[in-house]
Amino acid sequence: MKKEYLRNFCIIAHIDHGKSTLADRLLESTGTINDKDMQNQVLDDMDLERERGITIKSHPIQMQYKHSDGLNYTFNLIDTPGHVDFTYEVSRSLAACEGALLLIDASQGVEAQTVSNAYLAIENDLEIIPVINKIDMHNADVQSAKDQIVELLGCEKEKIIAISAKNGIGIQDVFDAIINFVPPPEIVETNKPRGLIFDSTFDQYRGVIPYIRMVDGYLEKGMKAKYFSNGVYHEITEVGILKLNKTPVKRLEAGNVGYIITNLKNVKDIRVGDTVTTVNNEAKEPLKGYRPIKSMVFSGLYPIDSNYYEDLRTSLEKLQLNDSALTFEPNTSVALGFGFRCGFLGPLHMEIVQERLEREFNLDLITTSPNVRYQIFLKNGEQIWVENPSEMPEVGSIESIKEPYIRAEILIPPNFIGPVMKLAVSRRAIFKSTQYLTEQKVQLLFEIPFGEVIYDFFDQLKSYTKGYASLDYDFLEYRDGKLQKLDILIAGDVVDALSIIVHQDNAYSSGKVLCKKLKEVIHRQQFEVPIQAAVGRKIIARETVRALRKNVTAKCYGGDITRKRKLLEKQKAGKKRMKQIGRVELPQEAFLAILNVDND
């Protein structure tokens, strides 16, 4: 195949702007998928993606397109996620491409993640083709969307393509733009093969399957592949391209996107961002990989039955192969037993990982409340990092605490500025600037402690703005904060999995709300269960789950009152003994109650 007829591109956009629908039309128009197999969001192969209507994983696929000039072109398309929590997926996809279709909803205009993705594409030196989607909707404002794109990219209005992916309007213009503006891959003639691993998956029969963008040379069946990061090598049993299903080919050449079958069963042998070469014709230097990803949100995952601890470890390793932004390490909780402390990119990422573990690996899990990483300076001069509130040192030994701040960009209609300001101030946000992008769209910039965002900030933001707000954020730095650990005691015992770190000014209100919520979800016992919130050794809030009372006097139909008193005294003594030795089983709802601690 001649490289001048090859195009590698991806589709990037804010969530719900129609990326997967446009991918459907491109596949349909090129005949890559027939009418019998056609369905909405055909590349979103996870049930979770279809149910939520979002893309979670990037999806590469190859298409053959015959242009009106009679020439045959090969397109390697990667459909990417749109939510801020999956930006790492987007950045890896961009490294495998030369061009990007930047999709904007005509009724929504440029949104926060549109801006972020555009900057990512510019950083990767990609050719950006702006496309306005949903032009046939009754509330579409194409002219306003064009003005916002010109403001963002500084491009000419004539270069902007207007389409309706749902009804197939303007799809031919998209194909023409890809051929005319996206450059073919640059290929240096060399026989030293190098391929960048931009994703991977696991097959229980065929082992680890890396997805590769070949940069130099070629790979084919029978060669011995070798990886730069760890020196692992193995024989390649199959190479292929990624159509709707994996399609074997004789050779995977430079400039192309495909996969190799490894038969490696150890998932740790393959790392996303690594470079693959061959043993017999080894390249001297690896390709530039990806910047190491930093987890922003931390949470504990514990199997309900401790016998499934090793199954959880294996499942996390396999999921990490498919989602390299996930990190985990073993952890032990007094209340929950053995489990793992996991790192995520954001609250949605955490939620998706938990659901995937439960669905794809049939695990029953308890998830603790999310936390961020804090920097603790001790009075003895030592510095430590704390990801779990239960690891927080004693108050008397702490000199100062630093918490992570993010730069939050919120795009809203002007009439919602007041409510959003009120919400942001309640989360200790520092207002930075307001910019009117158009008459109908305002950009607000805040600096907010990330610990205030990870619970329900985005849900509250959508509620305050009737669903019109969009949010994007970047990590800024660590700053001093007046923080302290809030412990929860159930029946006198500290439950480490329920501990949270709060600002000193919010400790009393948070403790009061949390005790009230826990009272609603903890089941009544045969004995009274006190629920207390404590800062250090000081109790600041309390609720009590009243005891269930069995009617022990029901069998007394008459006789002296002393008979009833004797039964009631016996019951009282039994309840006292149960209170001393009884255990309270905490339901999953108790841990979820922390997520909504700011709602009241």
Side-chain angles (χ1 to χ4, degrees):
M1 176 187 33
K2 292 184 178 179
K3 298 302 177 281
E4 57 265 31
Y5 301 131
L6 179 62
R7 299 289 186 273
N8 299 318
F9 68 97
C10 60
I11 306 174
I12 54 177
H14 189 84
I15 191 169
D16 201 31
H17 278 211
K19 297 178 301 299
S20 298
T21 308
L22 176 56
D24 290 349
R25 295 294 81 75
L26 296 177
L27 294 173
E28 209 172 41
S29 302
T30 55
T32 306
I33 185 167
N34 56 43
D35 294 339
K36 185 180 76 173
D37 296 328
M38 192 63 207
Q39 56 181 326
N40 291 335
Q41 294 176 254
V42 68
L43 291 182
D44 293 345
D45 49 12
M46 275 189 243
D47 290 339
L48 207 51
E49 291 178 312
R50 295 184 171 284
E51 286 170 20
R52 290 174 174 256
I54 61 173
T55 301
I56 295 167
K57 283 289 301 170
S58 57
H59 299 275
I61 191 166
Q62 188 175 103
M63 302 177 287
Q64 302 297 327
Y65 175 68
K66 187 169 184 177
H67 196 238
S68 54
D69 58 11
L71 297 174
N72 292 313
Y73 289 86
T74 298
F75 293 158
N76 286 312
L77 158 69
I78 303 179
D79 180 26
T80 63
H83 195 278
V84 60
D85 282 10
F86 303 109
T87 301
Y88 193 52
E89 289 283 325
V90 180
S91 66
R92 298 205 320 268
S93 302
L94 294 173
C97 301
E98 281 77 40
L101 300 178
L102 181 64
L103 205 62
I104 294 98
D105 186 328
S107 59
Q108 301 286 335
V110 170
E111 298 203 58
Q113 198 60 24
T114 314
V115 179
S116 177
N117 285 334
Y119 289 153
L120 276 175
I122 291 167
E123 283 174 21
N124 282 271
D125 201 24
L126 265 60
E127 181 66 36
I128 300 174
I129 301 172
V131 181
I132 296 177
N133 191 22
K134 306 184 185 180
I135 59 171
D136 53 345
M137 291 183 68
H138 70 277
N139 60 339
D141 189 347
V142 177
Q143 193 55 47
S144 174
K146 283 187 176 182
D147 292 340
Q148 292 174 42
I149 293 169
V150 171
E151 180 77 22
L152 175 64
L153 300 178
C155 63
E156 298 175 0
K157 277 191 180 181
E158 292 72 31
K159 191 180 176 182
I160 301 170
I161 303 168
I163 68 165
S164 168
K166 185 175 181 180
N167 294 314
I169 300 169
I171 300 300
Q172 185 58 51
D173 295 335
V174 175
F175 281 120
D176 291 341
I178 293 167
I179 291 169
N180 295 330
F181 297 117
V182 176
E186 289 185 15
I187 296 168
V188 180
E189 292 298 327
T190 176
N191 60 352
K192 305 280 188 185
R194 290 192 304 172
L196 179 67
I197 301 174
F198 67 90
D199 206 349
S200 54
T201 186
F202 184 83
D203 186 292
Q204 62 178 356
Y205 302 110
R206 312 184 84 179
V208 182
I209 303 175
Y211 291 173
I212 292 173
R213 160 67 196 269
M214 286 301 296
V215 177
D216 300 322
Y218 65 89
L219 293 175
E220 59 184 28
K221 181 180 176 180
M223 286 183 166
K224 276 197 173 179
K226 184 178 180 181
Y227 302 95
F228 270 89
S229 66
N230 52 19
V232 171
Y233 61 89
H234 61 84
E235 185 177 341
I236 298 173
T237 58
E238 181 180 301
V239 299
I241 55 175
L242 296 154
K243 292 200 171 180
L244 201 56
N245 297 309
K246 296 179 180 68
T247 306
V249 294
K250 183 182 178 184
R251 178 179 288 188
L252 199 59
E253 298 179 333
N256 226 320
V257 174
Y259 69 91
I260 61 174
I261 300 294
T262 66
N263 285 337
L264 288 172
K265 299 299 182 184
N266 187 354
V267 295
K268 295 179 181 177
D269 289 340
I270 303 290
R271 188 171 61 84
V272 168
D274 199 0
T275 301
V276 59
T277 183
T278 57
V279 173
N280 297 331
N281 199 10
E282 188 175 340
K284 301 300 181 188
E285 292 183 0
L287 296 163
K288 185 181 176 182
Y290 308 108
R291 61 180 180 181
I293 195 71
K294 291 183 179 178
S295 299
M296 298 289 281
V297 174
F298 299 87
S299 176
L301 287 177
Y302 299 87
I304 288 178
D305 185 341
S306 57
N307 292 326
Y308 290 96
Y309 172 75
E310 282 302 324
D311 290 347
L312 177 56
R313 179 196 292 276
T314 305
S315 302
L316 283 167
E317 287 175 350
K318 289 179 180 177
L319 194 60
Q320 190 180 50
L321 192 70
N322 193 238
D323 180 0
S324 54
L326 170 66
T327 62
F328 64 92
E329 59 184 31
N331 191 50
T332 308
S333 163
V334 176
L336 301 174
F338 292 102
F340 293 91
R341 190 77 181 162
C342 301
F344 310 95
L345 296 185
L348 179 66
H349 185 213
M350 181 188 82
E351 194 180 328
I352 293 296
V353 166
Q354 183 193 352
E355 283 201 47
R356 288 188 68 186
L357 286 168
E358 291 178 344
R359 290 187 185 204
E360 297 174 24
F361 301 99
N362 297 318
L363 295 170
D364 291 321
L365 302 172
I366 286 180
T367 310
T368 62
S369 63
N371 290 284
V372 296
R373 176 184 280 157
Y374 296 94
Q375 190 177 16
I376 315 289
F377 294 90
L378 303 178
K379 289 182 177 177
N380 62 7
E382 193 180 345
Q383 174 190 329
I384 61 172
W385 293 90
V386 170
E387 298 165 2
N388 191 341
S390 62
E391 298 169 357
M392 183 76 94
E394 289 291 327
V395 179
S397 65
I398 296 174
E399 181 69 37
S400 64
I401 302 175
K402 287 193 174 186
E403 60 181 331
Y405 269 71
I406 59 169
R407 175 184 174 276
E409 175 189 350
I410 300 172
L411 298 186
I412 53 170
N415 52 316
F416 294 118
I417 291 178
V420 171
M421 285 286 193
K422 181 182 175 183
L423 173 65
V425 169
S426 72
R427 301 302 178 96
R428 300 192 286 127
I430 302 167
F431 172 70
K432 301 306 290 184
S433 68
T434 302
Q435 182 180 352
Y436 279 78
L437 302 179
T438 67
E439 290 183 4
Q440 301 302 318
K441 187 145 289 189
V442 181
Q443 179 195 58
L444 299 177
L445 292 180
F446 296 97
E447 292 177 0
I448 312 179
F450 194 45
E452 299 283 351
V453 174
I454 59 173
Y455 291 110
D456 64 340
F457 180 79
F458 189 62
D459 292 338
Q460 291 277 307
L461 181 64
K462 285 289 186 182
S463 176
Y464 274 67
T465 60
K466 299 180 181 177
Y468 284 105
S470 65
L471 169 71
D472 185 40
Y473 58 81
D474 296 303
F475 172 72
L476 271 179
E477 60 185 352
Y478 277 82
R479 298 180 184 174
D480 286 324
K482 296 180 179 179
L483 304 167
Q484 54 193 175
K485 184 173 73 163
L486 179 69
D487 284 320
I488 298 297
L489 291 79
I490 307 292
D493 295 325
V494 174
V495 181
D496 57 346
L498 290 177
S499 298
I500 57 174
I501 295 173
V502 295
H503 193 266
Q504 287 179 8
D505 296 343
N506 302 331
Y508 172 72
S509 59
S510 296
K512 186 178 178 182
V513 170
L514 191 48
C515 286
K516 195 179 291 185
K517 287 185 178 294
L518 288 171
K519 181 184 177 182
E520 295 171 6
V521 297
I522 292 177
H523 305 305
R524 292 176 71 185
Q525 311 291 321
Q526 292 287 345
F527 52 93
E528 200 175 73
V529 180
I531 303 168
Q532 298 165 304
V535 173
R537 297 180 182 179
K538 183 181 178 183
I539 303 297
I540 60 172
R542 173 179 170 135
E543 293 286 341
T544 304
V545 179
R546 296 298 173 193
L548 287 168
R549 183 172 182 268
K550 182 181 177 183
N551 189 1
V552 292
T553 60
K555 57 189 175 184
C556 298
Y557 293 102
D560 191 72
I561 187 67
T562 55
R563 190 176 172 208
K564 288 186 177 181
R565 283 179 179 161
K566 184 179 177 182
L567 288 169
L568 290 171
E569 287 297 323
K570 188 177 178 183
Q571 182 188 43
K572 186 178 178 181
K575 284 184 178 291
K576 187 176 180 181
R577 188 171 65 255
M578 284 183 71
K579 190 172 182 178
Q580 292 172 346
I581 64 171
R583 289 188 72 242
V584 181
E585 293 291 333
L586 292 178
Q588 172 70 26
E589 290 80 9
F591 303 98
L592 296 178
I594 298 176
L595 302 181
N596 301 314
V597 74
D598 294 319
N599 281 0
D600 292 356

mmCIF file of all heavy atoms in Angstrom, residues 316-337:
data_model
loop_
_atom_site.group_PDB
_atom_site.id
_atom_site.type_symbol
_atom_site.label_atom_id
_atom_site.label_comp_id
_atom_site.label_asym_id
_atom_site.label_seq_id
_atom_site.Cartn_x
_atom_site.Cartn_y
_atom_site.Cartn_z
ATOM 1 N N LEU A 316 -8.100 -6.586 38.526
ATOM 2 C CA LEU A 316 -7.525 -5.246 38.428
ATOM 3 C C LEU A 316 -6.347 -5.219 37.454
ATOM 4 O O LEU A 316 -6.171 -4.265 36.690
ATOM 5 C CB LEU A 316 -7.076 -4.757 39.808
ATOM 6 C CG LEU A 316 -8.181 -4.264 40.748
ATOM 7 C CD1 LEU A 316 -7.647 -4.103 42.169
ATOM 8 C CD2 LEU A 316 -8.752 -2.936 40.262
ATOM 9 N N GLU A 317 -5.526 -6.275 37.468
ATOM 10 C CA GLU A 317 -4.388 -6.346 36.544
ATOM 11 C C GLU A 317 -4.870 -6.393 35.096
ATOM 12 O O GLU A 317 -4.305 -5.732 34.219
ATOM 13 C CB GLU A 317 -3.526 -7.571 36.859
ATOM 14 C CG GLU A 317 -2.699 -7.424 38.127
ATOM 15 C CD GLU A 317 -1.941 -8.689 38.473
ATOM 16 O OE1 GLU A 317 -2.196 -9.740 37.843
ATOM 17 O OE2 GLU A 317 -1.083 -8.645 39.387
ATOM 18 N N LYS A 318 -5.913 -7.168 34.831
ATOM 19 C CA LYS A 318 -6.441 -7.266 33.466
ATOM 20 C C LYS A 318 -7.104 -5.957 33.038
ATOM 21 O O LYS A 318 -6.987 -5.537 31.892
ATOM 22 C CB LYS A 318 -7.439 -8.426 33.373
ATOM 23 C CG LYS A 318 -6.782 -9.789 33.466
ATOM 24 C CD LYS A 318 -7.808 -10.914 33.397
ATOM 25 C CE LYS A 318 -7.129 -12.281 33.494
ATOM 26 N NZ LYS A 318 -8.112 -13.377 33.496
ATOM 27 N N LEU A 319 -7.798 -5.312 33.988
ATOM 28 C CA LEU A 319 -8.458 -4.048 33.671
ATOM 29 C C LEU A 319 -7.427 -2.942 33.450
ATOM 30 O O LEU A 319 -7.604 -2.077 32.593
ATOM 31 C CB LEU A 319 -9.402 -3.658 34.810
ATOM 32 C CG LEU A 319 -10.419 -2.556 34.509
ATOM 33 C CD1 LEU A 319 -11.331 -2.970 33.357
ATOM 34 C CD2 LEU A 319 -11.256 -2.246 35.734
ATOM 35 N N GLN A 320 -6.324 -2.999 34.196
ATOM 36 C CA GLN A 320 -5.263 -2.004 34.044
ATOM 37 C C GLN A 320 -4.630 -2.086 32.658
ATOM 38 O O GLN A 320 -4.202 -1.081 32.101
ATOM 39 C CB GLN A 320 -4.200 -2.212 35.122
ATOM 40 C CG GLN A 320 -3.183 -1.091 35.209
ATOM 41 C CD GLN A 320 -2.154 -1.356 36.285
ATOM 42 O OE1 GLN A 320 -1.559 -2.444 36.361
ATOM 43 N NE2 GLN A 320 -1.913 -0.375 37.138
ATOM 44 N N LEU A 321 -4.596 -3.280 32.089
ATOM 45 C CA LEU A 321 -4.066 -3.469 30.741
ATOM 46 C C LEU A 321 -4.918 -2.707 29.733
ATOM 47 O O LEU A 321 -4.418 -2.138 28.762
ATOM 48 C CB LEU A 321 -4.067 -4.966 30.412
ATOM 49 C CG LEU A 321 -3.291 -5.404 29.177
ATOM 50 C CD1 LEU A 321 -1.802 -5.259 29.410
ATOM 51 C CD2 LEU A 321 -3.623 -6.842 28.832
ATOM 52 N N ASN A 322 -6.217 -2.684 29.970
ATOM 53 C CA ASN A 322 -7.173 -2.025 29.091
ATOM 54 C C ASN A 322 -7.388 -0.561 29.469
ATOM 55 O O ASN A 322 -7.871 0.222 28.669
ATOM 56 C CB ASN A 322 -8.503 -2.796 29.152
ATOM 57 C CG ASN A 322 -9.461 -2.399 28.062
ATOM 58 O OD1 ASN A 322 -10.561 -1.969 28.339
ATOM 59 N ND2 ASN A 322 -9.044 -2.528 26.811
ATOM 60 N N ASP A 323 -6.995 -0.205 30.708
ATOM 61 C CA ASP A 323 -7.187 1.157 31.210
ATOM 62 C C ASP A 323 -5.943 1.539 31.999
ATOM 63 O O ASP A 323 -5.872 1.370 33.208
ATOM 64 C CB ASP A 323 -8.442 1.202 32.099
ATOM 65 C CG ASP A 323 -8.721 2.587 32.660
ATOM 66 O OD1 ASP A 323 -7.943 3.514 32.362
ATOM 67 O OD2 ASP A 323 -9.701 2.753 33.395
ATOM 68 N N SER A 324 -4.932 2.042 31.297
ATOM 69 C CA SER A 324 -3.623 2.268 31.913
ATOM 70 C C SER A 324 -3.628 3.427 32.907
ATOM 71 O O SER A 324 -2.648 3.646 33.612
ATOM 72 C CB SER A 324 -2.570 2.524 30.836
ATOM 73 O OG SER A 324 -2.970 3.575 29.993
ATOM 74 N N ALA A 325 -4.720 4.200 32.980
ATOM 75 C CA ALA A 325 -4.806 5.295 33.955
ATOM 76 C C ALA A 325 -5.129 4.785 35.358
ATOM 77 O O ALA A 325 -5.003 5.517 36.334
ATOM 78 C CB ALA A 325 -5.866 6.303 33.513
ATOM 79 N N LEU A 326 -5.533 3.525 35.474
ATOM 80 C CA LEU A 326 -5.874 2.928 36.772
ATOM 81 C C LEU A 326 -4.599 2.483 37.493
ATOM 82 O O LEU A 326 -3.748 1.827 36.904
ATOM 83 C CB LEU A 326 -6.805 1.730 36.553
ATOM 84 C CG LEU A 326 -7.083 0.823 37.749
ATOM 85 C CD1 LEU A 326 -7.868 1.560 38.823
ATOM 86 C CD2 LEU A 326 -7.829 -0.430 37.309
ATOM 87 N N THR A 327 -4.466 2.847 38.754
ATOM 88 C CA THR A 327 -3.360 2.361 39.590
ATOM 89 C C THR A 327 -3.942 1.711 40.838
ATOM 90 O O THR A 327 -5.035 2.065 41.271
ATOM 91 C CB THR A 327 -2.416 3.510 40.011
ATOM 92 O OG1 THR A 327 -3.163 4.460 40.791
ATOM 93 C CG2 THR A 327 -1.824 4.212 38.802
ATOM 94 N N PHE A 328 -3.216 0.757 41.410
ATOM 95 C CA PHE A 328 -3.708 0.116 42.635
ATOM 96 C C PHE A 328 -2.553 -0.476 43.425
ATOM 97 O O PHE A 328 -1.490 -0.796 42.878
ATOM 98 C CB PHE A 328 -4.741 -0.975 42.300
ATOM 99 C CG PHE A 328 -4.200 -2.131 41.507
ATOM 100 C CD1 PHE A 328 -3.706 -3.266 42.138
ATOM 101 C CD2 PHE A 328 -4.169 -2.092 40.118
ATOM 102 C CE1 PHE A 328 -3.198 -4.330 41.415
ATOM 103 C CE2 PHE A 328 -3.673 -3.149 39.379
ATOM 104 C CZ PHE A 328 -3.189 -4.269 40.022
ATOM 105 N N GLU A 329 -2.771 -0.597 44.738
ATOM 106 C CA GLU A 329 -1.813 -1.254 45.623
ATOM 107 C C GLU A 329 -2.572 -1.907 46.771
ATOM 108 O O GLU A 329 -3.667 -1.448 47.128
ATOM 109 C CB GLU A 329 -0.797 -0.248 46.160
ATOM 110 C CG GLU A 329 -1.403 0.904 46.934
ATOM 111 C CD GLU A 329 -0.361 1.929 47.373
ATOM 112 O OE1 GLU A 329 0.639 2.098 46.660
ATOM 113 O OE2 GLU A 329 -0.569 2.526 48.438
ATOM 114 N N PRO A 330 -2.045 -2.995 47.343
ATOM 115 C CA PRO A 330 -2.762 -3.695 48.423
ATOM 116 C C PRO A 330 -2.995 -2.780 49.626
ATOM 117 O O PRO A 330 -2.185 -1.905 49.928
ATOM 118 C CB PRO A 330 -1.819 -4.850 48.782
ATOM 119 C CG PRO A 330 -0.944 -5.025 47.585
ATOM 120 C CD PRO A 330 -0.792 -3.664 46.979
ATOM 121 N N ASN A 331 -4.107 -3.002 50.296
ATOM 122 C CA ASN A 331 -4.468 -2.186 51.463
ATOM 123 C C ASN A 331 -5.290 -3.036 52.418
ATOM 124 O O ASN A 331 -5.988 -3.963 52.005
ATOM 125 C CB ASN A 331 -5.263 -0.952 51.009
ATOM 126 C CG ASN A 331 -5.435 0.041 52.131
ATOM 127 O OD1 ASN A 331 -4.467 0.413 52.788
ATOM 128 N ND2 ASN A 331 -6.656 0.481 52.367
ATOM 129 N N THR A 332 -5.205 -2.732 53.701
ATOM 130 C CA THR A 332 -5.964 -3.464 54.718
ATOM 131 C C THR A 332 -6.792 -2.492 55.539
ATOM 132 O O THR A 332 -6.287 -1.441 55.949
ATOM 133 C CB THR A 332 -5.026 -4.248 55.658
ATOM 134 O OG1 THR A 332 -4.150 -5.048 54.880
ATOM 135 C CG2 THR A 332 -5.827 -5.147 56.576
ATOM 136 N N SER A 333 -8.055 -2.827 55.739
ATOM 137 C CA SER A 333 -8.937 -2.015 56.576
ATOM 138 C C SER A 333 -9.417 -2.863 57.749
ATOM 139 O O SER A 333 -9.741 -4.045 57.583
ATOM 140 C CB SER A 333 -10.133 -1.530 55.747
ATOM 141 O OG SER A 333 -11.179 -1.081 56.576
ATOM 142 N N VAL A 334 -9.473 -2.243 58.930
ATOM 143 C CA VAL A 334 -9.959 -2.962 60.113
ATOM 144 C C VAL A 334 -11.415 -3.388 59.902
ATOM 145 O O VAL A 334 -11.822 -4.488 60.263
ATOM 146 C CB VAL A 334 -9.832 -2.067 61.371
ATOM 147 C CG1 VAL A 334 -10.432 -2.775 62.589
ATOM 148 C CG2 VAL A 334 -8.377 -1.712 61.617
ATOM 149 N N ALA A 335 -12.197 -2.516 59.277
ATOM 150 C CA ALA A 335 -13.625 -2.791 59.098
ATOM 151 C C ALA A 335 -13.906 -3.703 57.910
ATOM 152 O O ALA A 335 -14.834 -4.509 57.946
ATOM 153 C CB ALA A 335 -14.383 -1.480 58.924
ATOM 154 N N LEU A 336 -13.084 -3.589 56.851
ATOM 155 C CA LEU A 336 -13.425 -4.277 55.597
ATOM 156 C C LEU A 336 -12.457 -5.386 55.211
ATOM 157 O O LEU A 336 -12.695 -6.090 54.230
ATOM 158 C CB LEU A 336 -13.494 -3.242 54.458
ATOM 159 C CG LEU A 336 -14.507 -2.108 54.657
ATOM 160 C CD1 LEU A 336 -14.380 -1.073 53.557
ATOM 161 C CD2 LEU A 336 -15.922 -2.651 54.705
ATOM 162 N N GLY A 337 -11.360 -5.535 55.920
ATOM 163 C CA GLY A 337 -10.432 -6.630 55.625
ATOM 164 C C GLY A 337 -9.441 -6.264 54.523
ATOM 165 O O GLY A 337 -9.042 -5.109 54.368
#
